[in-house]
Amino acid sequence: MTVTRQDFEDAVAAYWGAKESQRELSAIKDAVGAGTAGAVRGGKHFDGIAALLAKFFLVAGYAPEDIRVTKKQGLELPGYYRPQKQWDVVVVHDNTLVAAFELKALGGPSFGNNYNNRVEEALGSAVDLRRAALAELFPGEKPWLGYFFIMEDHPRSRTPVGTRDGAFPVEAVWNGKSYQDRFSIFCERLMAEGLYDSICYITSSEADPKPAEPAVSLDWRHFAAAINARIKYLSDLGLPFESRLPF
């Protein structure tokens, strides 16, 4: 059993309520508790995505109790500039933070209201945890961070956005860019700076849930490959210690 492109597309469709997760993903949701995670993530929209990510680790032999998707399980991880921060999916085995994921979205019709908030959240979460790792708050292998982001495909997210005159000129790369373009640049720079180990950035909508992938380096294929590379890296080091395949 592997994580497939169809799993990915089904999970994105489920985000919009366009369809129920396929039977296999539904079983995974039950196994790791994602079906009750709605209150944590402000609705059940991301439950299918959480199950999708959980599948990678279940297939690799991690136990369901290694995979945390609900507040009851404990999604908080220590920070450096604050005591702790709640992530959306956390995988821990022994003393190693195998992976931590942020699952976020930006929808309309007023994209500008929350765009800066999403940027600041993503930056703050990664910087805080990376600095905590330098302070040796994660005793096992170096933590691995993933970011999954859905931008609603909408005329207003596709339309170029202007910038205001300020004390200094805006970097030219931002000129004439839409919110979709801006977020692609942002995610590529997060990766270039090593703040996240992999990012999946897609656009989608309720009317047409089939995901579009604006940047090759941020597409599902690269994201899935990075997760599998993390699993293989830890496997070569002997993690998980006990391989248990639940399916």
Side-chain angles (χ1 to χ4, degrees), residues 25 64 77 84 95 116 162 183 187 197 204 221:
L25 284 182
L77 293 173
Q84 55 187 187
N95 65 350
N116 282 334
F183 221 85
C187 288
D197 294 284
S204 180
R221 189 168 61 96

Side-chain angles (χ1 to χ4, degrees), residues 8-17 44-50 52 102-108 111 118 147-154 157 179-180 183 187 199-206 208-214 218:
F8 163 59
E9 294 189 4
D10 286 348
V12 173
Y15 171 87
W16 297 105
K44 294 189 176 183
H45 300 292
F46 272 113
D47 286 358
I49 304 298
L52 176 74
E102 285 272 75
L103 313 178
K104 300 297 180 185
L106 180 61
F111 289 88
R118 293 293 178 268
Y147 188 60
F148 190 103
F149 192 86
I150 301 175
M151 171 80 73
E152 182 183 1
D153 186 35
H154 185 281
S157 70
Y179 283 115
Q180 290 190 17
F183 221 85
C187 288
I199 295 175
C200 184
Y201 167 51
I202 66 169
T203 63
S204 180
S205 69
E206 186 174 4
D208 183 10
K210 187 176 179 64
E213 297 151 297
L218 306 172

Side-chain angles (χ1 to χ4, degrees), residues 28-52:
I28 291 172
K29 285 167 64 175
D30 292 339
V32 300
T36 60
V40 179
R41 286 185 285 269
K44 294 189 176 183
H45 300 292
F46 272 113
D47 286 358
I49 304 298
L52 176 74

